[in-house]
Amino acid sequence: MKDYIILRIITKLTIPLILLFGLYVQFHGDFGPGGGFQAGVIFAAGFILYGLIFGLDTLQRVYTPFAVEMSMAAGLLIYAGTGLLSFLKNMNYLDYAVFGSHGQHYGILLIEAGVGITVASTMLMIYYAFAGRGRR
């Protein structure tokens, strides 16, 4: 792939736009279509595109498999922690009133962030598993 200079330049130009669109979908999910799952897939697609063009080894130097595993755990902890916080305040699981007057907005934002991080890192780990097969 080192000979395909145009493909590499176009990829370097489009990946920031893909990630920016992922952020838009993530934060727009409170008010319209989108949210954590869709944003996670878009983020993962940006990283996978980078891996396809520049190689798996280069991608794994940018986002190590250990960091991906930690991201998977962090996303799950954000989601579960949001629900457990309401349990600790003697409310129902994922009762957003625990966050105060703007609880619905903050609660959904945290839940969607947890889902987005988990989905993106899981998709990336699946890519690592399939792209690394037969490379021993």
Side-chain angles (χ1 to χ4, degrees), residues 14-25 39 42-47:
T14 56
I15 286 178
L17 297 175
I18 292 170
L19 298 180
L20 184 64
F21 182 65
L23 282 175
Y24 169 76
V25 170
I42 293 169
F43 262 92
F47 282 106

Side-chain angles (χ1 to χ4, degrees), residues 50-112:
Y50 184 84
L52 288 172
I53 300 302
F54 294 99
L56 181 63
D57 294 331
T58 306
L59 176 60
Q60 287 181 339
R61 281 194 302 270
V62 171
Y63 201 10
T64 65
F66 179 75
V68 174
E69 288 177 7
M70 292 300 106
S71 296
M72 288 168 46
L76 182 63
L77 286 174
I78 290 170
Y79 186 94
T82 304
L84 288 176
L85 185 63
S86 58
F87 261 174
L88 294 175
K89 300 278 188 171
N90 292 326
M91 298 177 174
N92 292 328
Y93 189 74
L94 294 177
D95 188 355
Y96 301 133
V98 73
F99 295 110
S101 62
H102 297 288
Q104 185 77 18
H105 179 71
Y106 294 137
I108 290 175
L109 191 66
L110 281 172
I111 291 297
E112 294 294 337

